[in-house]
Amino acid sequence: MTFSTADERDTDRVLRSFANIRDLGGLPLVSGGTTSPGVLIRSDAPYADDDDPVGVPWPPSTVVDLRDPSERGALRLTWPAEVRLVNRQVSSGARIDRLADTALSDIYTAMLQTGGDRLTAALNAFDAAGSTLVHCAAGKDRTGVIVAIAALLAGVDEAAVVADYRRTEENIAGVLARLKQRDRVPKGISLDAPILRTPREAIDLVIDALTGHRGGPWGWFEAHGGDVEYFEGWVARFAPRAG
């Protein structure tokens, strides 16, 4: 295939900027109203040569990096001094480079059954006063689970939780291109790989685990070591009408 100059510019833009970033303000709440902008941002992994994103508070006040240390490696990004960086590995089993052909339902089940305390540790690190950026490698699985839990705790409508999770499908080609450029995925991986999909049944596992727990999402959160008082304060900023 021959690329035009415009194609080359578009490709360069994708490789030099986040492919899967969004501010989670504007999500509908069950109690009415919507989540506040500038509080929670989700994304794929940032790299040192990236351009700053447009349309989100930047730099964020706190960055919660969900990857394991071996993933960061030489691609570790040095954030400005005013940014608080928190490394909270939640599941090495969600790594794209290791489980390209594994069903997401298996990965998410393992994450919930054996890593609940890791998930709540990441949530406990959210910024109480500023903006929080949550990311892993693709911003899809580990990030998707953390964001879904935070949204459920905040009283976001379940349909909106699913819709936000599935939005990554629109961005996955750019995510894969960025990962390939940096040798973060197995050679020959295609967009059809199970690890790159966002099936409804995968995120439903998370929703069902929290809503089906005794005491609902907050009961699940507390049972797995979540700091309820602290996170209630965060929710008051993210979803002021959550009730």
Side-chain angles (χ1 to χ4, degrees):
M1 180 181 293
T2 301
F3 291 97
S4 68
T5 301
D7 292 329
E8 291 172 350
R9 283 199 299 267
D10 287 344
T11 300
D12 183 64
R13 177 184 56 78
V14 167
L15 294 175
R16 290 182 59 85
S17 62
F18 291 89
N20 189 31
I21 187 169
R22 52 190 175 274
D23 188 320
L24 294 170
L27 298 178
L29 299 169
V30 173
S31 59
T34 60
T35 56
S36 300
V39 178
L40 181 59
I41 307 161
R42 61 179 294 172
S43 78
D44 51 321
Y47 301 110
D49 57 350
D50 281 343
D51 296 329
D52 288 350
V54 176
V56 298
W58 206 257
S61 302
T62 292
V63 175
V64 180
D65 185 344
L66 307 175
R67 298 173 297 173
D68 69 46
S70 65
E71 287 179 277
R72 297 190 293 271
L75 297 177
R76 187 186 304 272
L77 175 65
T78 300
W79 290 93
E82 68 270 19
V83 176
R84 169 176 165 255
L85 174 62
V86 182
N87 295 306
R88 288 288 185 269
Q89 176 185 346
V90 296
S91 171
S92 59
R95 284 182 54 162
I96 290 176
D97 56 339
R98 292 180 178 172
L99 294 173
D101 297 317
T102 303
L104 287 178
S105 57
D106 294 338
I107 295 173
Y108 289 15
T109 297
M111 208 184 308
L112 290 163
Q113 289 183 346
T114 65
D117 57 335
R118 291 185 175 189
L119 295 170
T120 56
L123 293 159
N124 287 339
F126 279 22
D127 199 299
S131 58
T132 300
L133 170 68
V134 181
H135 79 84
C136 51
K140 184 176 78 70
D141 301 312
R142 290 165 288 188
T143 299
V145 170
I146 287 291
V147 165
I149 295 171
L152 291 169
L153 290 168
V156 172
D157 182 80
E158 290 179 17
V161 175
V162 173
D164 176 68
Y165 170 76
R166 302 206 69 188
R167 276 188 64 186
T168 293
E169 193 91 5
E170 305 166 8
N171 305 322
I172 201 63
V175 170
L176 182 57
R178 281 166 60 81
L179 291 170
K180 282 184 173 180
Q181 184 192 46
R182 296 164 177 85
D183 296 322
R184 299 285 94 182
V185 290
K187 294 186 183 300
I189 190 173
S190 73
L191 288 171
D192 295 326
I195 195 70
L196 295 176
R197 306 269 53 88
T198 55
R200 168 70 185 260
E201 58 268 23
I203 200 63
D204 276 346
L205 284 170
V206 181
I207 295 172
D208 292 345
L210 268 72
T211 59
H213 194 278
R214 184 175 181 179
W218 284 100
W220 182 93
F221 182 70
E222 184 173 22
H224 291 88
D227 186 333
V228 172
E229 182 178 358
Y230 179 84
F231 208 76
E232 284 177 340
W234 181 85
V235 165
R237 293 181 56 240
F238 183 55
R241 292 185 60 185

